[in-house]
Amino acid sequence: MNLSAANHRIPLSDGNSIPIIGLGTYSEPKLTPKGTCEKSVKIAIDTGYRHIDGAYIYQNEHEVGEALREKIAEGKVQREDIFYCGKLWATRHDPEMVRPTLEKTLNILQLDYVDLYIIEIPMALKALEACKDAGLVKSLGVSNFNRRQLELILNKPGLKHKPVSNQVECHPYFTQPKLLKFCQQHDIVIIAYSPLGTSRNPSWVNVSSPPLLKDELLNSLGKKYKKTAAQVVLRFNIQRGVVVIPKSFNPERIKENFQIFDFSLTEEEMKAIEALNKNVRFVEMLMWCDHPEYPFHEEY
Ligand code: A2P
């Protein structure tokens, strides 16, 4: 795969494609000054990012829309250069809620369509398929699905549009080897959230596992390539075909995270990084662990 800063889209099974790096935009709303997200998205686009990962539930989708519209008006990019992924929140699965919820996101963004719209738990697919047929979304995907839940969808009688992607936690301490293999076999792209090991906010992150970016091997590889541990971690995933969506609202780090197309890791280094896998999640979502569809009780 020849990935470059100017050209780093990878194919999706429905004929569309996805830039292999995107800017994550989740930031604790109460702790984030207004306008930070908008500013960050603009810096990201100027840096070369063409993929923005957002959600209505993040409470800053309007800022993403503002930034995108401004960059399009400026002539920096065209709408079709941009890949926006939105999300259907867990309380909006009833079929009659699906289209209005997607339309709300489109209204907030002031866009005609989103590139990818993803759901967290099976069931909403029929209503979403109609949204794709109506042109409101280009590709359909899921998030936090385990193998059984993916199979439930893939084996659904009358399935029209199969999910093109599964957005899950994925980084060197949680490499997801089995889910990745299963998804590759079914043409489902893995999108890695928390690819840098999260903000380590103890209110939602399991901080018992050590910080990923302090890892000795990752830092020594960084030294070898004159890169940071963060860049090594992102390179590791894109080099094995996993899309990464590092969140940063810091201009320097937004730029740093995009400088991953000018070096590559050797096969042995890839293997050594894979061996760091601890099989421990940073994002456990334990508040939902009693839900019958809680996805993380199963091995993968
Ligand atoms: P900030 O927005 O201040 O840059 P993840 O995407 O894995 O959830 O990680 C996001 C967290 O990592 C955020 O707290 C973000 O903070 C921080 N971060 C983003 N890029 C880097 C980087 N290159 N080096 C260190 N920390 C980073």
Side-chain angles (χ1 to χ4, degrees), residues 70-181:
E70 200 174 310
K71 286 291 152 192
I72 292 169
E74 234 175 60
K76 177 80 192 166
V77 285
Q78 297 185 323
R79 170 64 187 95
E80 53 274 26
D81 301 327
I82 295 290
F83 188 98
Y84 179 76
C85 172
K87 304 190 185 87
L88 183 72
W89 184 239
T91 55
R92 311 292 296 174
H93 282 180
D94 288 350
E96 63 277 10
M97 289 182 176
V98 170
R99 182 165 173 157
T101 304
L102 170 56
E103 282 173 338
K104 189 163 199 168
T105 271
L106 292 173
N107 274 335
I108 289 171
L109 293 166
Q110 294 180 39
L111 296 179
D112 298 333
Y113 67 90
V114 293
D115 298 274
L116 177 64
Y117 202 53
I118 64 181
I119 50 173
E120 309 227 12
I121 307 174
M123 296 315 295
L125 207 69
K126 274 274 166 272
L128 270 175
E129 285 178 325
C131 293
K132 179 167 156 88
D133 290 336
L136 303 182
V137 48
K138 297 278 183 199
S139 297
L140 300 178
V142 296
S143 179
N144 291 311
F145 274 44
N146 63 31
R147 176 192 172 136
R148 179 186 58 77
Q149 292 166 329
L150 286 172
E151 279 179 332
L152 214 72
I153 289 195
L154 295 173
N155 297 330
K156 203 170 159 64
L159 180 76
K160 191 166 176 197
H161 303 302
K162 72 173 205 174
V164 299
S165 62
N166 188 17
Q167 187 179 125
V168 295
E169 178 176 347
C170 186
H171 48 71
Y173 283 177
F174 195 67
T175 54
Q176 298 268 27
K178 292 186 178 170
L179 190 63
L180 179 59
K181 188 164 173 212

Side-chain angles (χ1 to χ4, degrees), residues 200-244:
R200 297 184 67 80
N201 176 340
S203 71
W204 59 278
V205 175
N206 165 17
V207 288
S208 65
S209 199
L212 175 68
L213 299 183
K214 293 253 161 22
D215 184 90
E216 210 173 296
L217 172 72
L218 299 171
N219 280 283
S220 75
L221 287 171
K223 250 193 205 120
K224 173 177 169 189
Y225 291 106
K226 298 200 170 45
K227 292 284 171 185
T228 62
Q231 290 167 323
V232 170
V233 158
L234 297 174
R235 178 73 208 184
F236 162 72
N237 259 335
I238 69 164
Q239 205 167 306
R240 56 186 201 143
V242 170
V243 175
V244 290

Side-chain angles (χ1 to χ4, degrees), residues 193-200 204 213 228 230-231 245-250 253-254 256-257:
Y193 72 66
S194 300
L196 300 173
T198 80
S199 61
R200 297 184 67 80
W204 59 278
L213 299 183
T228 62
Q231 290 167 323
I245 47 168
K247 176 267 168 182
S248 180
F249 283 179
N250 170 290
R253 290 191 285 273
I254 292 171
E256 174 186 329
N257 295 341

Side-chain angles (χ1 to χ4, degrees), residues 20 53 66 78 85 120 134 141 148 162 214 236 241 246 255 263 273 278 300:
I20 200 156
D53 182 86
E66 195 74 42
Q78 297 185 323
C85 172
E120 309 227 12
R148 179 186 58 77
K162 72 173 205 174
K214 293 253 161 22
F236 162 72
K255 290 173 198 157
F263 76 113
I273 297 176
K278 294 178 194 291
Y300 75 101

